[in-house]
Amino acid sequence: MSESFSTSKEATILPSPSVPLPKGPDGLVTVRLDIDGMHCASCSSLIEKVVGTRMEVVDACAVNLANNTGSVRFDPERVSLEQILKTIDDLGYHATAIPTGGDEVLEHARQRRAHNEAESRRSVRTFALSLALTVIIVFVSMVTPVHEFVGAALAHLIVGANATQADAMMAVNVLALILDIPVQFVIGARFYRGALGSLRQRFANMDVLVALGTSIAFLYALWITVSRSMVNDGMAPFETSAVLITFVLLGKLLEARAKGSTGEAVEALMNLTPRMARVRRGDGELEVPTADVLAGDVVIVRPGEQLPVDGVVAAGSSSVDESMITGESIPVEKHVGDSVTGATMNGLGSLDVRALRVGSDATLAHIIKLVEEAQGSKAPVQRFADRAASIFVPIVLAIAVVAFLAWWLVLPAVLGGGATIFGGQDPAIKALLAAIAVIVVACPCALGLATPTAIMVGTGKGAQLGVLIKDGEVLERAAGVDVAVFDKTGTLTEGKPTVIAIGVAVAARAQGMAEADVLALAAALEKPSEHPLAAALLDRAQADGISLERARGFTAIPGQGVVAKVSGKTFVLGNRTLMEARGVDVSVLDERAVQLAEAGGTVMFLANVPMDAADAPAGAVPGETAPEAAGPALLGIVAVADAIRPTTAAALSGLVDQGIEVYMLTGDARRTAMAVGRTLGLDADHVIAEVLPASKASTIEGLREQDRRVAMVGDGINDAPALAAADIAIVMGSGSDAALEAGQIVLMGNDVHDVSTAIDLSRATMRKIHQNLFWALFYNVIMIPLAAGGILRPEVSGAAMALSSVSVVLNSLLLKRYAPKRS
């Protein structure tokens, strides 16, 4: 966001929207804020200290200098939002609450963008005025021919023909004073306001440094003018304070422009949704604002238009470009019954879309909310910068005092010779210039911007690539991942298993049973289930036109299979473990099962077993006394396979190239899992098979106990415990609500390559953060001693300070050039 340089606080005020305050389970509410008027890391630290620490009723407060936002978590029963906003205003800043509703968020963002553009134009005008006055002061004071001509002309005009050289010098000094007053006290008023607000809280920020340094320079020049002293040859150096303020304004203007670029990703997302939608109501079509579309409305999308809402295709077919959401460049074919996402681009066909999720429930609104929260978050590495910023200004002021005393008293006493050791310059002047140079060259801004700007650009770039990183802490942990564990089904595979083989046991075939009967029984047993394998059986039965009996007393046995009654008889369908538990001999089909498993199929045995009342599953219907087999009888076998995603093998190879160990975790039989592992190029000891859902979390914990940083990759639906146990939970979900909630990193597409992209982008972002912190520290460690040593004049120090924070922001912006590595 752009930073304000206006000369009045009122000019920065945005109307604060009406923000609902939904409470969390703990009774606390969290509100995001726009904050105007921050100039440096000390400003954000001041707000956090006063609001988050001194206001005991506030549970937490975090402020992000890079995008001028913050968040507060508080108990609305003990303190109101208005009180918090007033507290921030009393510090010399201005805060407004950011709404949470989808449409309100977009509207507020548009208002904010318009406000920032207006502030940017005002800032340019303010800087131009300061620059014009400063250039005149510099020419009049420092360019000898101009100085002599203007001095003589003014002295002759005021004193007359008898004007002396001293009169000419006095006239030039008074002219410079008149020109410098608006620069120092009108254009520079923002620094005084910020400094006073900071000092009232017994805190020192960058405004204190700028106000103090320029005030000392101005008062020194004023003393020479008023006293008509011949110190500095009688020339009052008003250009020092004017140049300092102008350079600081230039630096802040460039910094604000660069910081604005860090938020372009979110702005691009906000601009994706069309403002208007075409809705069929009654017998006609109406064009209404997208915000007015209701769930259930049928929206008409013509060729080449963007979809305004999330929904399902009610009529028509077309290809849809989903790259703006998933990062995948290949359009996806959509037909009746397929789901579509708002903000995606329709191809050459026409679609009627029944709206399902609108407003704040829409996928794009969720994405924008996640990205904004991530960009406003803090990574643990920023704690160092925050601690440094909190003590930075007092240390700088101490160094300035030491430099002043050293040049004024110590060095003349030690070296002797007074002014002669300074090339004729008075020691007091040399000391004063050194102290001013130290004060203005020091820059806490670079420290404060080092981390948040990189996080903003990194998370924004991730959103463009279809990788949502939820906060800075997740990004920092992801950069250190050295083990990636993948759930097989739906992650490494397509998640759409199909039936590849059906077999009938010899004894069952002798009794007239055929493959269709095995499929009918298996599908009937799985009909109440929500397991992906159940869907494969039901799809095959429907495709073959098989009608299914109703299963009663259904019980799912996690990691093994199902038990239910069909036509009064008890059947079991599941793996070898379930068969052994029920006493079923599978040897007659064992060879066939092994072949199917080695081909990558998941094998399920079907058997008829006797079951007494005590063993009956919950929900069994009493009174069903149809005869059952005298003992367990194997009826047949069904094999289901889930095709491996085309890009999976190359993606896993890319992760290995990044130095990451890859594991596959599955509940499949070991033979099936090993077959898939061989196809993917995984080592046998990196294939973990026959793991029950409840045991997946303990597998992850076992890896973490080996001091490994573990990322778990799943679909966020049936692997939630394992995701929760990992250091990083990466969810592939194409933007589903479940994925957005379950994952710390959400992959909007279904390409395993995006796992590599997420980790590599996190590492690239952390490299930028470390580079920024190094530069910020290196700059201050080098420049402050140079200024204290009298090598840098105050004007040069001001220019260096202005450019230091800009360089950090520009370095962060280089992340926008990041491109995923694909093997």
Side-chain angles (χ1 to χ4, degrees):
M1 295 190 178
S2 300
E3 189 167 344
S4 168
F5 303 116
S6 61
T7 57
S8 66
K9 179 177 174 180
E10 287 73 14
T12 70
I13 294 179
L14 269 178
S16 187
S18 175
V19 180
L21 301 178
K23 293 184 180 181
D26 53 5
L28 303 180
V29 299
T30 300
V31 177
R32 295 187 66 243
L33 306 174
D34 272 325
I35 304 175
D36 275 329
M38 294 190 296
H39 315 312
C40 68
S42 297
C43 296
S44 56
S45 295
L46 172 62
I47 297 173
E48 290 179 344
K49 181 177 181 180
V50 172
V51 177
T53 304
R54 296 181 184 172
M55 292 185 73
E56 296 180 356
V57 291
V58 174
D59 183 69
C61 175
V63 179
N64 189 319
L65 176 64
N67 61 359
N68 290 352
T69 64
S71 67
V72 287
R73 190 166 178 263
F74 61 96
D75 183 353
E77 302 296 329
R78 302 178 62 195
V79 64
S80 68
L81 176 60
E82 288 70 22
Q83 288 175 293
I84 295 173
L85 297 179
K86 184 178 183 303
T87 300
I88 297 175
D89 285 1
D90 290 343
L91 297 177
Y93 311 102
H94 181 69
T96 56
I98 299 174
T100 56
D103 299 324
E104 291 181 352
V105 168
L106 296 178
E107 185 57 33
H108 177 78
R110 292 186 181 108
Q111 291 179 5
R112 183 73 196 181
R113 188 159 52 249
H115 164 79
N116 287 341
E117 290 171 355
E119 287 299 315
S120 179
R121 291 191 295 269
R122 186 180 289 109
S123 299
V124 170
R125 291 195 298 268
T126 302
F127 168 72
L129 175 60
S130 181
L131 178 64
L133 293 172
T134 300
V135 168
I136 296 173
I137 294 171
V138 169
F139 268 84
V140 168
S141 301
M142 302 187 69
V143 180
T144 302
V146 177
H147 171 83
E148 292 176 349
F149 174 77
V150 171
L154 288 175
H156 181 78
L157 182 65
I158 297 171
V159 179
N162 296 325
T164 64
Q165 179 66 30
D167 294 327
M169 181 67 70
M170 181 65 176
V172 169
N173 287 346
V174 171
L175 175 61
L177 170 63
I178 293 171
L179 294 173
D180 194 27
I181 286 175
V183 176
Q184 183 71 37
F185 297 107
V186 180
I187 295 173
R190 64 193 291 268
F191 301 114
Y192 288 103
R193 283 198 304 271
L196 289 173
S198 173
L199 292 174
R200 276 200 299 267
Q201 300 296 329
R202 302 183 301 280
F203 200 84
N205 61 4
M206 194 200 77
D207 289 330
V208 172
L209 294 179
V210 175
L212 181 62
T214 58
S215 295
I216 292 173
F218 178 85
L219 292 174
Y220 169 62
L222 180 64
W223 173 75
I224 291 178
T225 302
V226 173
S227 67
R228 299 178 71 104
S229 170
M230 291 310 295
V231 172
N232 200 39
D233 295 328
M235 184 183 300
F238 285 105
E239 75 281 352
T240 299
S241 62
V243 167
L244 286 176
I245 288 177
T246 301
F247 271 136
V248 172
L249 290 178
L250 174 61
K252 290 300 175 185
L253 182 62
L254 295 174
E255 178 187 315
R257 293 286 179 89
K259 282 163 61 178
S261 297
T262 64
E264 287 178 354
V266 172
E267 290 190 10
L269 287 172
M270 289 179 174
N271 291 329
L272 287 176
T273 303
R275 301 293 293 270
M276 305 296 290
R278 197 174 296 103
V279 179
R280 178 174 290 119
R281 288 180 179 165
D283 296 330
E285 297 179 5
L286 296 176
E287 193 168 79
V288 300
T290 300
D292 293 341
V293 176
L294 305 175
D297 280 344
V298 174
V299 179
I300 301 167
V301 186
R302 293 174 178 169
E305 292 183 341
Q306 282 185 300
L307 279 73
V309 294
D310 294 0
V312 62
V313 177
S317 63
S318 182
S319 60
V320 176
D321 180 1
E322 298 180 333
S323 59
M324 59 286 298
I325 300 294
T326 66
E328 297 292 337
S329 58
I330 301 175
V332 180
E333 292 295 325
K334 298 292 183 180
H335 305 281
V336 174
D338 290 339
S339 61
V340 291
T341 305
T344 54
M345 182 69 71
N346 186 27
L348 300 178
S350 294
L351 296 174
D352 286 2
V353 176
R354 187 171 302 281
L356 295 181
R357 293 186 297 272
V358 297
S360 59
D361 294 328
T363 298
L364 183 62
H366 279 299
I367 293 173
I368 291 173
K369 180 173 180 288
L370 288 176
V371 174
E372 286 191 325
E373 288 176 351
Q375 293 187 336
S377 65
K378 288 191 175 186
V381 70
Q382 192 172 342
R383 293 172 191 152
F384 164 76
D386 290 342
R387 286 195 299 269
S390 66
I391 61 173
F392 186 86
V393 175
I395 291 176
V396 169
L397 292 177
I399 294 173
V401 171
V402 171
F404 178 82
L405 294 175
W407 283 105
W408 184 35
L409 299 175
V410 178
L411 288 178
V414 172
L415 300 178
T420 59
I421 64 173
F422 302 129
Q425 190 174 40
D426 188 282
I429 299 175
K430 185 70 175 177
L432 193 64
L433 292 177
I436 294 173
V438 169
I439 290 172
V440 298
V441 80
C443 185
C445 303
L447 273 173
L449 292 170
T451 299
T453 53
I455 289 176
M456 283 187 68
V457 180
T459 54
K461 185 64 178 181
Q464 292 176 341
L465 296 171
V467 176
L468 301 183
I469 302 172
K470 286 195 172 179
D471 60 50
E473 184 176 353
V474 168
L475 186 145
E476 185 171 338
R477 290 207 309 268
V481 164
D482 54 12
V483 172
V485 180
F486 288 83
D487 184 56
K488 181 182 77 71
T489 303
T491 305
L492 300 178
T493 62
E494 296 284 1
K496 297 179 180 178
T498 57
V499 177
I500 59 171
I502 302 172
V504 183
V506 175
R509 189 179 293 278
Q511 296 178 9
M513 197 170 205
E515 281 80 359
D517 300 314
V518 172
L519 177 61
L521 274 172
L525 291 171
E526 288 281 15
K527 190 173 183 180
S529 173
E530 296 181 357
H531 195 281
L533 299 183
L537 295 173
L538 293 171
D539 288 345
R540 175 63 180 270
Q542 183 179 15
D544 291 355
I546 297 174
S547 59
L548 303 179
E549 297 286 339
R550 181 183 177 187
R552 298 177 182 273
F554 172 85
T555 297
I557 304 174
Q560 296 185 27
V562 299
V563 180
K565 283 191 174 187
V566 176
S567 300
K569 296 181 180 181
T570 303
F571 296 92
V572 292
L573 177 71
N575 59 20
R576 192 182 303 272
T577 303
L578 179 60
M579 296 300 115
E580 290 174 354
R582 297 292 175 170
V584 180
D585 180 9
V586 298
S587 59
V588 294
L589 289 176
D590 193 51
E591 184 178 349
R592 177 66 170 147
V594 170
Q595 292 172 349
L596 292 170
E598 290 180 345
T602 298
V603 176
M604 294 176 283
F605 297 97
L606 174 67
N608 176 210
V609 297
M611 181 175 290
D612 57 31
D615 294 329
V621 179
E624 292 188 344
T625 57
E628 297 196 26
L634 181 66
L635 302 179
I637 189 173
V638 180
V640 174
D642 191 3
I644 297 172
R645 297 181 189 275
T647 60
T648 295
L652 298 188
S653 175
L655 284 169
V656 172
D657 291 342
Q658 288 179 242
I660 296 171
E661 290 188 35
V662 177
Y663 289 79
M664 184 180 77
L665 191 62
T666 178
D668 287 351
R670 180 151 191 84
R671 281 197 179 94
T672 302
M674 291 301 297
V676 175
R678 283 193 298 272
T679 303
L680 297 176
L682 298 179
D683 294 337
D685 59 347
H686 283 196
V687 177
I688 306 173
E690 299 177 352
V691 182
L692 298 177
S695 302
K696 290 182 178 180
S698 60
T699 302
I700 299 298
E701 290 167 357
L703 289 169
R704 293 184 65 193
E705 287 171 0
Q706 300 173 28
D707 199 25
R708 310 302 297 275
R709 183 69 65 84
V710 181
M712 174 67 195
V713 188
D715 58 14
I717 298 173
N718 55 13
D719 44 22
L723 290 167
D727 293 290
I728 296 293
I730 302 178
V731 174
M732 298 176 63
S734 298
S736 68
D737 290 341
L740 291 172
E741 291 299 324
Q744 295 170 318
I745 296 178
V746 181
L747 310 181
M748 301 300 292
N750 276 319
D751 191 342
V752 184
H753 271 117
D754 290 340
V755 177
S756 174
T757 298
I759 295 173
D760 189 54
L761 177 60
S762 297
R763 290 177 175 178
T765 304
M766 288 306 300
R767 283 196 296 271
K768 284 298 176 191
I769 290 174
H770 292 144
Q771 290 169 12
N772 289 345
L773 288 172
F774 171 80
W775 164 246
L777 290 171
F778 177 79
Y779 164 83
N780 283 292
V781 167
I782 296 299
M783 288 301 192
I784 291 176
L786 290 178
I791 298 174
L792 296 179
R793 281 188 58 83
E795 298 89 341
V796 177
S797 298
M801 186 271 285
L803 294 176
S804 63
S805 56
V806 176
S807 64
V808 165
V809 179
L810 292 177
N811 187 47
S812 295
L813 288 174
L814 292 176
L815 276 171
K816 296 173 74 172
R817 299 163 56 183
Y818 172 84
K821 299 174 183 176
R822 296 292 173 95
S823 52

